[in-house]
Amino acid sequence: ILTALASATPGNEPAQLALQPRGGFMYVSNAFDATVSCFAIQPDGSPALIDTVACGAGPDGLALTPDGAFLFVAASNDAALHVFDVAPASGLLSESAGSPYATVDGTTPKALALDASGAHLYVAHGFDPVIEVFAIGGGGALTHLPAFSVALDEPATRFQADPSGTLLFAGVDGRGIHEFEIAPDGSIAAAPNSPVIARRGAGPLAFQASSALATLEVQNIYAARSDGFIAQFRLGATGTPLALIPSTVASNGGAPSR
């Protein structure tokens, strides 16, 4: 049961948030303000605004490297990816040298994900049916890897990598969830039985994976559908394909968004 303890005001039309892996800081993209808000998490868990930085047009998806050193932001109206250095002590952001980087295979970057090592960035586009891959170098520099791009049947607007860094899940509106296997070199390939259909015409608008923490093995994925229901997917214990569990539950809140 959730109890409201505190609230904070970011910018106009907050789109996504990311929590610093080391703890202590939170970042929120503000789509209509072209900014990212930086919050310090207080001892009681409440967020306190400490800074706001400019970040292209239509900032949306966020991704923090596992060590918390770099924050990546998808500027969906600029066809660009912004990279920020994260100050370890203060959590403040400063744009990295060379940033922003133009996307190549799509023009509407929306959702971002990283592999477990933080060596590769995966980019999905809101209006372009493709996933493109960038290598992350020193200082957070991005290098596009054209041979690793993957075409989709429809745009994927939601992304999540599993905790082990071997699987990538992409939510495709109106279709379902695509499952990709991440190779050691960062390339991705469709897993067997992918995509899994949540319900045709009521694709996942948001989803979250749960895992068995002892093994970092994904167990379930819960997808909020556009028809107001939650769909459950199961991944087998030995890496068997993702499968839809034939049960749904009403979200009790209309059509969820994210």
Side-chain angles (χ1 to χ4, degrees):
I1 297 176
L2 299 177
T3 301
L5 299 177
S7 62
T9 303
N12 193 10
E13 192 65 18
Q16 300 283 341
L17 65 82
L19 290 170
Q20 182 44 277
R22 296 189 297 258
F25 302 100
M26 178 177 73
Y27 306 95
V28 180
S29 56
N30 305 303
F32 289 177
D33 282 351
T35 61
V36 173
S37 298
C38 311
F39 295 87
I41 305 301
Q42 304 303 298
D44 64 357
S46 61
L49 182 65
I50 56 174
D51 196 16
T52 300
V53 297
C55 185
D60 197 327
L62 303 175
L64 276 160
T65 52
D67 61 3
F70 299 101
L71 175 71
F72 301 94
V73 185
S76 60
N77 295 340
D78 273 351
L81 303 170
H82 290 255
V83 184
F84 291 90
D85 297 299
V86 182
S90 66
L92 296 176
L93 303 176
S94 57
E95 191 144 15
S96 303
S99 177
Y101 297 85
T103 55
V104 178
D105 299 318
T107 59
T108 54
K110 184 174 181 63
L112 304 178
L114 294 164
D115 61 6
S117 67
H120 297 91
L121 177 71
Y122 302 92
V123 183
H125 295 264
F127 295 102
D128 305 293
V130 65
I131 296 173
E132 55 184 333
V133 185
F134 290 81
I136 302 173
L142 296 177
T143 301
H144 184 248
L145 302 175
F148 289 3
S149 295
V150 173
L152 301 171
D153 48 1
E154 295 183 41
T157 56
R158 304 290 180 263
F159 245 178
Q160 185 171 351
D162 81 308
S164 71
T166 60
L167 297 173
L168 178 69
F169 303 101
V172 177
D173 291 355
R175 287 285 295 171
I177 294 180
H178 286 254
E179 178 188 358
F180 296 93
E181 297 173 343
I182 302 176
D185 64 357
S187 61
I188 57 175
N193 202 41
S194 179
V196 178
I197 307 303
R199 178 185 170 190
R200 195 168 299 278
L205 297 179
F207 59 90
Q208 181 67 44
S210 67
S211 64
L213 296 180
T215 60
L216 293 182
E217 184 177 276
V218 170
Q219 301 292 310
N220 295 286
I221 291 181
Y222 303 96
R225 296 190 332 207
S226 56
D227 60 356
F229 285 83
I230 306 298
Q232 178 187 358
F233 299 81
R234 174 68 54 82
L235 188 71
T238 57
T240 51
L242 193 69
L244 177 66
I245 304 300
S247 64
T248 58
V249 61
S251 68
N252 200 32
S257 176
R258 293 176 181 166

